[in-house]
Amino acid sequence: MGQEVSHSEFTREQRLAFRAKVRDDLDCFEQMLEGSRFDFTRPQMGLEIELNLVDEESLDPALRNREVLADIGEGDFQTEVGRYNIELNVPPRPMAGDQAVRLERWLSQSLRRAGDAARGHGCRVASVGVVPTLQAELFDQPWLSDGVRYTALNDSLIRERGEGLELEIEGPTGERVESYHDTIGPLSGCTSVQLHQQVTPLDFPVYWNAATVISSLQIAVGANSPYFFGKRLWAETRIPLFTQMTDTRSIELKHQGVRPRAYFGRTWITSIFDLFEENVRSFPALLPETSDEDAKAVLAAGGVPHLLDLKLHNGTVWRWNRPIYDTTQGVPHLRVENRVLPAGPTAVDTVANACFYYGLLESFTTSGRPIWTKMAFADADRNFREAAKHGIAATQVWPGVGTLPAVDLVADHLLSVADDGLAALGLRREVRSHYLSVIEGRCRARTNGASWQVAVTEAYEAAGYSRPEALRAMFGHYLDHAEENTPVHTWEVPEVQAPAAADADREGVAQVTGRSA
């Protein structure tokens, strides 16, 4: 959730000062784009993965991240907005050779390390877009992580909205969530994978446009968030949930067409400056804490400003593909941050999702006529919403082929394109074949994390279990499979006995073994 701040309340004078500092930073950024040298190394993949802690027995969210992180110790894990959230930061690496295999191994080891620490506090680590057992009652207790920035973010969003936050999401079967919240609690239910790509200023719009096109495909094959507050909603419920829980617009402003703070975009771009300028001109500051940096003076003296105020403001505008400015050892660089994927289900699924994205990104930005020049932005937006609602069952509008199922588009037309891109990046043939076969397997089986969750939950309900019981049973299977690190499309839907028969079986086992049922 961005940079740390020292205050959660701000005065009018602070807001005016911050606005002026952000505009100065924007001017400096424009000058840097025109004349500065930005760092660019070989294409590298960088990942951030948000995870959840759930109680070992109940499988409800476990508000114990401070204790678990203390046992994990120093390293790549940190807090996220809710006390049941933690985040894993993956060191960047080139997408070449066997690095994808090394990444999967590193992720598996990191998840095991976190799992070992979690078990010491009676909980498990869950890599999933939205915890299916999450209920609104969780937010009646202290749920917010330690850290001023989380309190400041919560208070600022509520203050900007002026009347609390409303959720209204309807799923494909008519199930709905309609609720009102005086905190951003439900926002903590969204856990994602963020993929980073470092680019030059000249190439940034090319990569951002390509990432925007690819986003719907990522969600279609990777959706993993079908349940929220006990209801079956969108295949990737994170998308409307995050959008609505960061939406500071009144009903009247929505009707006027004012932009939400989390959104897909409105048009293809021609410069990274387009996005930063829109941030400054269109979005009020949520965390107006000014830095001590005089960016104009630093730049005039030949230095490289950190643009801390512009970065802080940029961190409170949540485009699904976001521009990033940063500095490393005094050298500036730019990144495209792709934020559309949910967490999970497994390390191998996560790496397969990354390979699919980076392969398409490379091909779409280096080969032939750019795909977005053949596609209306409205079609890309339509594809994105369709994929978020229907996941593996979504259709897509695509240049040259018309409207067709997303699984057919990916399996029959785009996997070879992704393979070409990964080959150009230097990924070994057997490695790219292995991970792209995971994506193909999902398409052929028409199964991803979201569809598997729904199938198993419905199997339990058909056998006579209540929705809460079915969700807990499904989630138990999910966590067991995830720890085995097998691709989600290979997970079976279990044969489920009726509750009475299942109880009888457990009683019989207890009589034989002498253990409690």
Side-chain angles (χ1 to χ4, degrees):
M1 278 296 172
Q3 300 164 225
E4 185 59 274
V5 294
S6 59
H7 299 88
S8 60
E9 295 185 6
F10 303 94
T11 65
R12 176 180 179 273
E13 289 72 23
Q14 286 176 303
R15 292 180 180 281
L16 291 173
F18 185 78
R19 184 179 293 124
K21 287 289 297 289
V22 168
R23 289 186 179 278
D24 284 348
D25 280 5
L26 185 66
D27 290 342
C28 289
F29 185 56
E30 185 175 25
Q31 294 178 50
M32 294 175 69
L33 291 174
E34 293 172 352
S36 293
R37 180 178 178 181
F38 283 78
D39 179 51
F40 180 73
T41 57
R42 250 189 103 181
Q44 293 186 319
M45 54 181 176
L47 286 80
E48 301 169 61
I49 303 176
E50 296 162 351
L51 304 162
N52 302 280
L53 301 173
V54 297
D55 186 84
E56 220 166 14
E57 297 296 326
S58 69
L59 303 187
D60 291 331
L63 303 174
R64 302 168 204 160
N65 67 359
R66 180 174 55 188
E67 297 86 346
V68 171
L69 288 169
D71 280 3
I72 294 175
E74 295 295 324
D76 305 296
F77 288 91
Q78 63 183 39
T79 59
E80 250 299 329
V81 63
R83 290 189 179 184
Y84 62 101
N85 306 139
I86 59 176
E87 181 177 272
L88 172 60
N89 294 299
V90 181
R93 62 186 71 214
M95 181 64 83
D98 65 349
Q99 283 294 333
V101 176
R102 293 172 181 264
L103 173 61
E104 182 189 342
R105 189 179 305 131
W106 188 92
L107 284 177
S108 296
Q109 291 170 349
S110 297
L111 291 171
R112 280 197 297 271
R113 181 159 57 98
D116 290 342
R119 277 190 289 275
H121 297 277
C123 51
R124 301 174 74 173
V125 173
S127 185
V128 63
V130 175
V131 173
T133 55
L134 178 65
Q135 293 291 340
E137 291 76 17
L138 179 75
F139 307 113
D140 293 336
Q141 55 191 308
W143 61 271
L144 196 65
S145 279
D146 297 336
V148 177
R149 73 179 182 270
Y150 301 124
T151 300
L153 181 71
N154 177 80
D155 293 352
S156 295
L157 281 167
I158 297 298
R159 187 183 304 115
E160 189 71 25
R161 179 71 169 86
E163 53 186 79
L165 297 165
E166 296 174 348
L167 281 175
E168 185 175 342
I169 309 172
E170 181 173 343
T173 61
E175 295 186 41
R176 297 173 60 88
V177 164
E178 293 183 81
S179 55
Y180 173 87
H181 303 272
D182 55 11
T183 74
I184 62 169
L187 178 69
S188 64
C190 303
T191 41
S192 64
V193 172
Q194 292 124 45
L195 303 174
H196 291 254
Q197 174 73 42
Q198 187 175 333
V199 297
T200 66
L202 184 64
D203 285 338
F204 184 92
V206 176
Y207 278 83
W208 188 89
N209 290 341
T212 298
V213 172
I214 296 167
S215 296
S216 62
L217 306 172
Q218 294 175 270
I219 295 175
V221 299
N224 196 29
S225 314
Y227 290 101
F228 177 68
F229 285 179
K231 305 293 185 181
R232 180 188 169 188
L233 302 175
W234 292 19
E236 194 46 49
T237 301
R238 278 178 47 256
I239 301 300
L241 175 57
F242 194 97
T243 299
Q244 293 182 28
M245 290 308 298
T246 57
D247 195 348
T248 57
R249 302 171 301 167
S250 65
I251 293 175
E252 293 80 8
L253 290 177
K254 292 178 186 179
H255 288 161
Q256 292 175 35
V258 172
R259 301 162 177 84
R261 298 192 81 99
Y263 79 122
F264 187 67
R266 291 192 171 188
T267 186
W268 308 120
I269 67 167
T270 58
S271 168
I272 187 174
F273 188 77
D274 296 348
L275 301 180
F276 278 101
E277 184 179 38
E278 183 183 36
N279 288 357
V280 174
R281 295 185 183 280
S282 301
F283 297 100
L286 286 182
L287 304 175
E289 181 168 290
T290 57
S291 73
D292 295 329
E293 180 182 60
D294 185 339
K296 287 188 171 181
V298 172
L299 190 61
V304 175
H306 295 288
L307 304 182
L308 296 174
D309 302 278
L310 185 65
K311 285 173 56 181
L312 178 59
H313 185 54
N314 185 58
T316 62
V317 180
W318 294 280
R319 286 182 186 82
W320 296 111
N321 290 282
R322 181 159 62 178
I324 302 292
Y325 167 90
D326 210 345
T327 58
T328 303
Q329 298 180 338
V331 180
H333 68 264
L334 306 174
R335 303 195 304 272
V336 176
E337 181 190 45
N338 174 265
R339 307 178 50 255
V340 304
L341 282 169
T346 65
V348 66
D349 284 307
T350 299
V351 176
N353 289 340
C355 286
F356 180 58
Y357 170 74
Y358 285 115
L360 285 183
L361 193 65
E362 179 67 16
S363 283
F364 285 172
T365 54
T366 59
S367 303
R369 179 182 167 190
I371 185 70
W372 59 92
T373 66
K374 299 180 277 187
M375 177 186 290
F377 193 88
D379 285 339
D381 187 38
R382 176 263 178 206
N383 285 348
F384 183 75
R385 291 179 174 276
E386 168 74 8
K389 287 181 179 180
H390 302 292
I392 204 76
T395 61
Q396 298 282 280
V397 176
W398 203 256
V401 294
T403 301
L404 73 168
V407 291
D408 294 340
L409 173 63
V410 171
D412 299 337
H413 298 275
L414 296 179
L415 282 178
S416 61
V417 178
D419 184 69
D420 289 343
L422 292 174
L425 290 171
L427 201 66
R428 285 168 46 189
R429 177 184 305 221
E430 61 271 25
V431 175
R432 61 183 192 262
S433 175
H434 170 66
Y435 289 108
L436 292 181
S437 73
V438 172
I439 303 298
E440 182 178 17
R442 289 188 214 153
C443 292
R444 303 301 184 196
R446 284 166 166 68
T447 299
N448 59 14
S451 66
W452 183 89
Q453 288 189 52
V454 170
V456 176
T457 301
E458 289 182 345
Y460 272 93
E461 289 182 301
Y465 289 80
S466 68
R467 173 62 63 81
E469 292 170 335
L471 286 173
R472 291 184 198 286
M474 175 276 289
F475 196 28
H477 291 298
Y478 179 103
L479 294 172
D480 292 341
H481 283 305
E483 290 178 358
E484 294 168 359
N485 194 31
T486 53
V488 68
H489 71 274
T490 67
W491 298 1
E492 294 183 357
V493 175
E495 295 184 8
V496 182
Q497 295 178 311
D503 290 343
D505 282 352
R506 284 195 294 270
E507 186 64 34
V509 169
Q511 291 175 359
V512 172
T513 63
R515 291 193 300 233
S516 169

